[in-house]
Amino acid sequence: VCVGGGTGVAVLHPITRALKEAGNHVICIIGARTKDLLILEDQMKAASTDLRVCTDDGSYGHHGFVTEVVKEVLEEGDVKLAVAIGPVPMMKAAVNITKAYDVKTLVSLNPIMIDGTGMCGGCRVTVGGKTRFACVDGPEFDGHEVNFDELIMRLQAYLEDEKESYEHYCTIRGT
């Protein structure tokens, strides 16, 4: 089962396609806040055996989160692997569900990356109790080993700076 949320669907697409081309039965679940924000539906349909679409607001497909459909799929049959890519809260929720079913789950982490060599430490994550760097050790990791609470805290470290930068950008553009 391949699970993509928001722009994570773009990252999930080649993985889904490769899994299907390798002969796997691939159930893909993609979602977005609203139908207008849903991306790559046709491509994901072609890349998977079974595509299920969700929108948070119910404007298209299943009304609710992708994780609700993940649980349904896990209850339906024998799933050997899950891949979840999207917002960190979505990946954390998906991992919590797959762990209960003992299904290996890969996640793709994209914390702030500055130099791409691991030297700056900006993309530092704890996986299996060890410090890893998403830029050189990942970005794919065993989701059951990721310390999501720490990751969420680290991702919030620059929120004020990001907000200030965005406001400055809007002022310059006059928007």
Side-chain angles (χ1 to χ4, degrees):
V1 62
C2 293
V3 187
T7 58
V9 174
V11 179
L12 187 66
H13 178 256
I15 296 168
T16 304
R17 188 179 63 229
L19 287 169
K20 184 178 178 190
E21 288 173 359
N24 294 289
H25 178 86
V26 180
I27 299 170
C28 189
I29 305 162
I30 61 172
R33 287 191 314 258
T34 180
K35 184 180 194 288
D36 293 338
L37 297 175
L38 189 67
I39 62 170
L40 300 174
E41 180 182 4
D42 292 338
Q43 293 88 335
M44 293 305 285
K45 185 173 186 171
S48 56
T49 309
D50 177 7
L51 176 67
R52 303 181 193 194
V53 180
C54 308
T55 53
D56 298 356
D57 68 357
S59 57
Y60 187 65
H62 172 81
H63 181 183
F65 299 131
V66 293
T67 49
E68 296 165 4
V69 179
V70 168
K71 187 170 183 183
E72 290 174 10
V73 167
L74 292 173
E75 290 175 355
E76 286 172 9
D78 186 29
V79 175
K80 301 281 189 239
L81 174 69
V83 180
I85 304 175
V88 172
M90 181 221 71
M91 290 189 291
K92 179 182 178 183
V95 163
N96 287 339
I97 293 167
T98 61
K99 192 170 194 168
Y101 289 84
D102 197 30
V103 174
K104 179 178 179 164
T105 305
L106 298 176
V107 296
S108 186
L109 305 182
N110 58 354
I112 293 172
M113 295 184 202
I114 298 170
D115 66 6
T117 67
M119 292 178 66
C120 74
C123 66
R124 183 174 61 249
V125 295
T126 300
V127 180
K130 297 179 181 176
T131 299
R132 297 286 184 240
F133 300 95
C135 70
V136 294
D137 298 319
E140 281 80 24
F141 295 98
D142 179 339
H144 297 160
E145 297 290 320
V146 173
N147 183 333
F148 279 101
D149 294 333
E150 178 186 73
L151 176 59
I152 290 167
M153 270 186 19
R154 288 185 53 73
L155 290 174
Q156 293 173 350
Y158 299 103
L159 283 181
E160 287 302 315
D161 295 317
E162 291 172 5
K163 181 180 175 187
E164 183 180 329
S165 179
Y166 178 72
E167 288 169 355
H168 179 70
Y169 171 77
C170 290
T171 301
I172 292 171
R173 288 195 38 140
T175 56

